[in-house]
Amino acid sequence: MPSRRQDVRPRIAKRAILPAALLLGSAAFPAIAQSDGDRAALMERIRLLEQRLEQLERAPQRASRPAPGRPVAAPAPAAPVATAPAPPPSAPAEPAARLRDPREEDIPQEAFVFRDQAVTLRPGKAELSLDLGYLRDRRTVSTDRSGSAVLTGRVGLLDGVEAAITLPFFIATRSFELSPTFVTDRETRAMGDVTAQVNIRGWGEREYRPGAVFTAALVTPTGPSPFVNPAQGITPQQVPVDITQFISTRAAWALRGGVQMFKTMDPLVLFGGVAYEYAFPVEQSGITFRPGWRISYNAGVSFALSDRSTLGFTFIGNYTAALQANSIQYRATASEAAVFRLSLVQRLAPGLWIEPSLGMGLVSESPNVQVGLGLRYRF
């Protein structure tokens, strides 16, 4: 801004110019000022004009200053500083995404996908299940068909311990295509090997560690014997086994033990396990049959679609060692099966479930297709 000294100079110049102009005018027109009285009146007029000019020069300054005795107006309030809006109050915690029936609040439905190797019953609770199944296996000159009905009862003994007993029934048929126009069938209907099993929860899940369930089972030889005694005696060329019965029964005492691991990653449950079964030798008509040992394994994932529906994807496999009769080992009886199983666990009502499933063979020694339907009720 210009200083006060600079503002005064223009005003002095203006005041000097006006009298000079009047004096020059009086000199140029001597008739206007002929006497001392006229000259005095002219000087008075000049003085009044200077005062008026000075008043006009000070008028903007007086307008900007408050008049004396008049209250000074309060300064305008400062504009509010923009601040971030306060965060809304925290909303109450949402309920669990998948609510269960109060009577089933501690039942992990996702574990039903690997039910035979899980613990889901509280002490004093019981469960009955019926599993219907059908499998078909097409070979070069034969076709195997088998239907089964497996009745299982389970009961919770202690916290983390439950026992089960399984009663299988089956009907198996093998069709031999001896020629395009000649086909023979062999059919077997019987009860399979009854199994008693105990599942024990070893430890629960942790943040970085899966849970574990240990299983121990006793297989009893309640089914028909699949071993046959050829009239000419056993030979390396002829396998002494009835395949229609060998599909569903071993007719030998056996012990089985295994471990199942599982880890919850909501809404998924990952699982996998392995089991080993040893079958004791069987004496029949003077021949000692030694069924091969068996290793079973599984892995998969169960996915909770809702509080009522669970989808399961499971890979199931096993390897069975070769049968031995006396000193002859039949290597052709050694087999390895692998099946991919897709299942659905659907709760129909409190304590009642239906479980359809579809299995597809992955190797030549596996059944081509398996279809199942399970019903489960607990009380």
Side-chain angles (χ1 to χ4, degrees):
M1 293 177 61
S3 64
R4 185 175 180 180
R5 183 175 298 175
Q6 293 173 342
D7 295 338
V8 172
R9 290 177 182 174
R11 284 184 286 176
I12 294 176
K14 293 177 182 179
R15 293 176 186 178
I17 291 172
L18 183 60
L22 292 175
L23 288 174
L24 290 174
S26 63
F29 304 96
I32 299 176
Q34 299 291 330
S35 64
D36 293 339
D38 295 336
R39 190 178 293 109
L42 181 61
M43 295 302 295
E44 180 65 19
R45 187 175 179 181
I46 292 173
R47 187 182 64 82
L48 293 175
L49 290 173
E50 289 179 347
Q51 291 179 356
R52 179 59 180 168
L53 179 62
E54 185 178 1
Q55 292 177 357
L56 292 175
E57 291 176 346
R58 289 197 300 265
Q61 298 179 5
R62 286 200 301 264
S64 61
R65 296 177 185 175
R70 188 174 294 179
V72 179
V81 179
T83 58
S90 57
E94 296 183 359
R98 293 183 287 112
L99 300 178
R100 302 188 186 279
D101 188 275
R103 289 169 290 179
E104 304 164 2
E105 58 186 13
D106 60 346
I107 299 172
Q109 179 171 296
E110 291 79 8
F112 286 2
V113 176
F114 52 101
R115 181 64 186 92
D116 292 337
Q117 296 84 28
V119 176
T120 64
L121 288 173
R122 291 172 287 176
K125 296 296 182 178
E127 175 186 289
L128 288 176
S129 65
L130 175 64
D131 294 288
L132 305 176
Y134 169 79
L135 67 83
R136 182 182 185 276
D137 188 19
R138 171 69 178 175
R139 303 283 178 169
T140 304
V141 295
S142 64
T143 301
D144 295 325
R145 296 181 180 86
S146 177
S148 62
V150 181
L151 182 63
T152 304
R154 298 181 175 90
V155 61
L157 301 179
L158 302 171
D159 186 21
V161 180
E162 69 177 43
I165 185 168
T166 302
L167 290 78
F169 301 87
F170 69 93
I171 174 172
T173 302
R174 164 163 282 195
S175 300
F176 294 94
E177 298 178 3
L178 303 179
S179 69
T181 58
F182 183 68
V183 179
T184 62
D185 294 330
R186 293 185 59 183
E187 182 179 294
T188 300
R189 302 183 184 186
M191 179 180 180
D193 296 332
V194 176
T195 303
Q197 181 169 312
V198 176
N199 294 352
I200 303 173
R201 186 167 57 240
W203 57 79
E205 296 183 62
R206 296 293 184 268
E207 184 177 2
Y208 300 105
R209 185 188 72 184
V213 172
F214 296 93
T215 61
L218 172 66
V219 182
T220 62
T222 54
S225 175
F227 309 119
V228 296
N229 300 323
Q232 68 277 16
I234 58 174
T235 62
Q237 292 77 24
Q238 184 177 1
V239 180
V241 168
D242 183 351
I243 192 62
T244 59
Q245 299 178 10
F246 200 59
I247 294 175
S248 304
T249 179
R250 303 187 78 184
W253 290 92
L255 292 176
R256 183 172 62 241
V259 59
Q260 187 79 16
M261 313 295 287
F262 57 92
K263 185 70 175 73
T264 301
M265 301 177 67
D266 197 34
L268 304 177
V269 174
L270 307 178
F271 59 89
V274 61
Y276 175 81
E277 180 178 305
Y278 174 77
F280 292 92
V282 177
E283 292 286 341
Q284 182 175 310
S285 302
I287 302 175
T288 302
F289 294 94
R290 291 180 174 84
W293 48 265
R294 177 178 294 170
I295 293 180
S296 304
Y297 44 90
N298 69 85
V301 57
S302 58
F303 175 70
L305 300 175
S306 68
D307 62 320
R308 290 177 170 266
S309 305
T310 299
L311 193 62
F313 303 89
T314 312
F315 169 76
I316 304 172
N318 66 72
Y319 175 80
T320 305
L323 169 70
Q324 182 175 337
N326 287 342
S327 59
I328 302 176
Q329 187 177 47
Y330 297 91
R331 297 180 62 86
T333 60
S335 62
E336 184 172 10
V339 174
F340 176 75
R341 183 173 181 263
L342 175 65
S343 60
L344 173 68
V345 180
Q346 180 67 43
R347 182 159 63 93
L348 302 178
L352 180 63
W353 291 265
I354 184 172
E355 303 172 16
S357 65
L358 173 65
M360 293 164 284
L362 301 178
V363 296
S364 60
E365 296 176 343
S366 303
N368 300 129
V369 62
Q370 300 181 37
V371 180
L373 179 65
L375 296 174
R376 191 181 311 279
Y377 176 72
R378 54 177 51 192
F379 49 92

